[in-house]
Amino acid sequence: MKNFRTMKDFNCQEGRIFNIAGSRSGSILLRHRHILLIISLLVFMPAFLAVSCAKEESKDDEANDGKKETAEVTVRLDSGGNSLRRSDIFVYEDEVLEQHLRTESGEKELKIVCGKGEKHIFVVANCPHDFNIRALSSLSSMYKLTMAFNDDDESFPVMGAEATCSTEDSLEVVAELTPLMCRIMLSEISSNLEDYELVESPRIRLRGINAGAALFRSGPYIPEELIEFGEWKSLPYDIGMLTQYPMISLPCYPNGSNESEYSPERTVLELECRIMGETCSFLYPLPPFGRNSSTKVRLSIDGPEDFSGSID
């Protein structure tokens, strides 16, 4: 029995030795596989990284190609001595609005960041209203932009300027702002009445004022709508034997109606006064005049129904 047990124990131990040997050979095989995997990674990883980097560089190049180059353009505003309180700048490229910039200050030097290329720039100064930007999305719409005389202000007149530039040649634009508003001035008035009769309570106003004008129009300003009467302005003194030089100015919008024929479109200077107790009115049709103009008028009263006038 002892021998049997000893032999049995020996067989069990031998089996254990066999099992251990099998485990070690499996472990060695696994290690070989790991080493091969590491070697494969070391061989192929650089190629993979190169392809990955190439893809990333390609994406960056595409992004840079899609990004438009920009330039900073300085716009200098020349208001000709008129006051500024608000400016709107419209930048067009290929007849399409690229951007709109507004400043509520009286700054006369503004900087705009825009894409490089040919630019068409419009400046509107002292406009009392906000703009419908969608309606001004095309270049042609700016030439239809119309201002109303009743919304304008002599102290801060509506002004406009138009300029073109190329960011390849210049990064500075000078915008010469020009008002729409005009002035009709009574520079001289005299009386030729007999017996030195006084021309009493004289006052003047305009009739047939152009109600609106396109800010960037290049042709003559023919009114589409008229304001029937302007406001009265009184002369400082009655008119006797001495000529007076009142230099009273009446604001209006440009009117290019033909002077060769009397028409309701023409702007007229009206003088009202009292002569020998009766109210008299004298109408003097004005010749055509453009934007930002000053027209000086001389009048001479020769009788209750008779007068003459001329332009300086």
Side-chain angles (χ1 to χ4, degrees), residues 13-237:
Q13 290 175 5
E14 187 178 359
R16 289 175 186 171
I17 293 172
F18 177 81
N19 289 338
I20 291 172
S23 175
R24 286 179 180 175
S25 64
S27 176
I28 292 171
L29 183 59
L30 184 60
R31 287 179 184 176
H32 288 172
R33 290 178 179 175
H34 287 169
I35 292 171
L36 291 174
L37 179 60
I38 291 171
I39 292 172
S40 300
L41 289 175
L42 291 175
V43 171
F44 294 108
M45 182 63 75
F48 174 78
L49 290 175
V51 172
S52 178
C53 292
K55 288 183 178 179
E56 291 298 327
E57 290 176 0
S58 177
K59 290 180 180 178
D60 292 339
D61 292 340
E62 290 177 2
N64 291 332
D65 291 341
K67 187 177 180 180
K68 192 172 185 179
E69 292 186 16
T70 60
E72 185 179 75
V73 178
T74 300
V75 180
R76 301 186 190 278
L77 305 181
D78 180 3
S79 62
N82 294 293
S83 299
L84 281 176
R85 63 180 173 189
R86 184 186 204 182
S87 300
D88 289 87
I89 299 179
F90 299 84
V91 181
Y92 290 84
E93 182 179 8
D94 296 330
E95 300 192 359
V96 177
L97 180 63
E98 182 179 348
Q99 68 167 295
H100 165 241
L101 173 68
R102 162 170 290 174
T103 172
E104 296 288 350
S105 65
E107 294 181 35
K108 293 190 176 182
E109 183 175 309
L110 306 171
K111 296 187 181 296
I112 304 173
V113 177
C114 58
K116 288 187 175 182
E118 299 286 337
K119 305 297 175 184
H120 207 128
I121 299 174
F122 294 88
V123 182
V124 182
N126 297 334
C127 180
H129 304 297
D130 293 333
F131 290 99
N132 182 346
I133 302 301
R134 181 175 296 180
L136 298 174
S137 59
S138 65
L139 180 67
S140 60
S141 62
M142 288 300 295
Y143 294 107
K144 301 175 184 178
L145 182 62
T146 300
M147 300 296 164
F149 171 73
N150 283 335
D151 292 335
D152 214 330
D153 185 344
E154 286 188 86
S155 301
F156 297 92
V158 174
M159 297 180 284
E162 179 181 359
T164 58
C165 75
S166 171
T167 56
E168 303 297 333
D169 302 328
S170 174
L171 296 178
E172 182 174 309
V173 175
V174 177
E176 297 181 358
L177 294 164
T178 308
L180 278 171
M181 190 171 288
C182 312
R183 289 172 177 80
I184 307 300
M185 181 180 294
L186 180 59
S187 61
E188 179 181 317
I189 187 167
S190 60
S191 171
N192 297 317
L193 296 178
E194 296 180 355
D195 301 326
Y196 304 108
E197 287 285 347
L198 283 176
V199 177
E200 299 177 300
S201 304
R203 60 179 185 171
I204 58 173
R205 69 177 177 182
L206 293 177
R207 302 174 65 165
I209 300 172
N210 187 0
L215 188 58
F216 299 105
R217 179 178 303 224
S218 57
Y221 291 85
I222 306 300
E224 297 181 1
E225 183 181 353
L226 296 174
I227 299 172
E228 190 173 5
F229 302 110
E231 295 182 359
W232 286 110
K233 284 192 177 180
S234 298
L235 276 64
Y237 310 106

